[in-house]
Amino acid sequence: MVALGVLLTGLLAGLSMQSGGIDIFGDTRFGGLLFSSGGVGVAVALILASGTAMVVRRRSVLAGLSIAAAVVIGGSVLLFSSDSAEVVAGGVLLGCSAVQANRRRGYRALLIGSFLLGLLSAGAVEALHYPAVPRRYADYLTESDMGTPMVVPVLCVFVVVAVAWAARNENQGESPATERDIRTVAAILLVTIGGLLLNVAFVFSMFQSEYGFGDRWNYGLFVVLVLFAAAALLPGRSGVMVLAGTAVLLTSTTTSGVGISVSDGVWTLGLVAVIAVSVAAGTALGLRWGRPLIGVAVLAVVCVTALFESPPLDNVHYVASLIVFPAAAAYLYVACTPAAPTPSTLGLAIPVAITVPMVVTYGWTAYTPLTSALTDTSWPEKWLSTGGASATVVLAGVGMWALNRYRARR
């Protein structure tokens, strides 16, 4: 029952830890963006997730926090629709799951796989909430037009039942001791505050520019410095999970989604199924033949496929994004275990906590594609930003090798 609880709480945490982003229609001053942005909720969620994994050990307390977080998420979805409440509660769930999964490597793999599945399929699950309306119009709809979302509330019920059942039938002693080190606290604060400030600076810079995003992908380079410094701060080889999160984050900025009409529920569910199979395969391979550098190499190849934009080679990029990337991400995380709960939580949450893009993906407005105005500059920027992401993934692999080789001896 513990395995089922870890699986379900990880999935719910991944679905919930999504920020609504910066409120670009609010105060455009730097201070106003800082305190009104959705990034603040993500920062609080990361601190709570890591703090829970570091401090809480009693299984009864972990069960109580998990149930409370699931109730908050379900209540938010059904009653008051607060993105910040869902993100923060998702952070608490992730921290509790990381401690519960610390008993066995198999439990850790279940947490990694379920959290990634929730994270990567959140958009598809959200599309199921609006079965007749494209997602880009959902923010303009009334509550009666949108309907009542059911996927997440039902999952919340399952989480409450599974966690309560496990708490009733399992030993309620303390989980294995977790690390409480000042360097770990410093790494958490560095990722949290650094990611938030860089995100706000990125958006503030866009407000000051006549040309929108422009070449501001280079803000991603500052993110790399923050994450590598956090990995170096963590004691022992714990930093490998942060470097794994860095590789997954940078690769995710190069991946491409495939547009599916939200009215085609079967296709949307099929997309979730493909992601689930891919993540499960990567998790199983990581448990059986886990080699972190192999995962890094595959992620670097996925980054390079972002350069394939024209048919028929664009299909290579789609396959790499939808099938190879989820499997490689799960494989890399699992291959880096065992790791203590706090570094595991921090590494898993990095793709959520850091929202500054390395590769800017231009979307569609309601009437015209934004890319039509950027044909003269998109290719040089695409080569530079994709090359920067690929090189950073490789550097993350070098950092993992160094941490495993030198710090493991101490």
Side-chain angles (χ1 to χ4, degrees), residues 295-316:
V296 169
V298 175
L299 289 178
V301 172
V302 173
C303 287
V304 173
T305 63
L307 298 175
F308 301 153
E309 294 185 311
S310 302
L313 291 180
D314 59 336
N315 292 318
V316 175

Side-chain angles (χ1 to χ4, degrees), residues 23-333:
D23 181 9
I24 61 174
F25 301 106
D27 192 343
T28 59
R29 296 172 300 173
F30 187 89
L33 283 172
L34 176 62
F35 291 104
S36 65
S37 71
V40 173
V42 175
V44 173
L46 180 58
I47 291 175
L48 287 177
S50 304
T52 300
M54 180 183 295
V55 174
V56 182
R57 295 181 183 176
R58 291 196 63 82
R59 293 170 186 167
S60 57
V61 177
L62 291 169
L65 288 174
S66 297
I67 292 172
V71 170
V72 169
I73 293 170
S76 173
V77 171
L78 292 174
L79 300 177
F80 48 89
S81 185
S82 171
D83 286 340
S84 296
E86 293 173 34
V87 170
V88 171
V92 174
L93 274 177
L94 178 59
C96 292
S97 298
V99 180
Q100 293 280 27
N102 196 37
R103 305 182 192 182
R104 301 177 186 174
R105 190 163 182 250
Y107 290 171
R108 299 186 189 104
L110 277 177
L111 171 60
I112 290 169
S114 60
F115 182 78
L116 284 178
L117 175 60
L119 210 60
L120 295 174
S121 61
V125 171
E126 188 177 23
L128 294 173
H129 296 170
Y130 312 101
V133 182
R135 177 63 187 94
R136 64 179 177 272
Y137 299 119
D139 293 335
Y140 302 97
L141 301 178
T142 63
E143 291 293 332
S144 60
D145 293 328
M146 289 190 295
T148 302
M150 294 304 298
V151 177
V152 173
V154 170
L155 180 58
C156 290
V157 173
F158 285 147
V159 167
V160 170
V161 173
V163 171
W165 187 271
R168 180 181 179 182
N169 292 279
E170 295 289 330
N171 179 12
Q172 294 303 303
E174 292 189 355
S175 293
T178 57
E179 69 296 323
R180 297 179 181 179
D181 189 279
I182 187 64
R183 293 169 58 184
T184 303
V185 175
I188 294 170
L189 294 179
L190 178 60
V191 173
T192 303
I193 298 174
L196 175 60
L197 292 180
L198 285 171
N199 189 22
V200 173
F202 173 77
V203 178
F204 180 77
S205 178
M206 286 195 299
F207 277 123
Q208 308 307 312
S209 172
E210 182 181 354
Y211 303 104
F213 282 106
D215 61 355
R216 281 160 180 79
W217 62 269
N218 50 28
Y219 274 75
L221 297 177
F222 295 102
V223 170
V224 173
L225 295 177
V226 169
L227 295 179
F228 273 68
L233 274 174
L234 288 168
R237 60 178 299 276
S238 300
V240 296
M241 288 298 289
V242 172
L243 293 177
T246 303
V248 172
L249 166 69
L250 269 296
T251 306
S252 70
T253 65
T254 69
T255 56
S256 174
V258 175
I260 294 178
S261 174
V262 295
S263 61
D264 296 331
V266 174
W267 287 103
T268 306
L269 290 173
L271 177 62
V272 175
V274 168
I275 296 173
V277 170
S278 179
V279 169
T283 302
L285 288 172
L287 274 174
R288 184 64 179 87
W289 298 288
R291 299 290 186 274
L293 295 185
I294 294 177
V296 169
V298 175
L299 289 178
V301 172
V302 173
C303 287
V304 173
T305 63
L307 298 175
F308 301 153
E309 294 185 311
S310 302
L313 291 180
D314 59 336
N315 292 318
V316 175
H317 184 42
Y318 289 145
V319 171
S321 299
L322 294 177
I323 299 177
V324 180
F325 170 62
Y331 176 90
L332 178 59
Y333 274 127

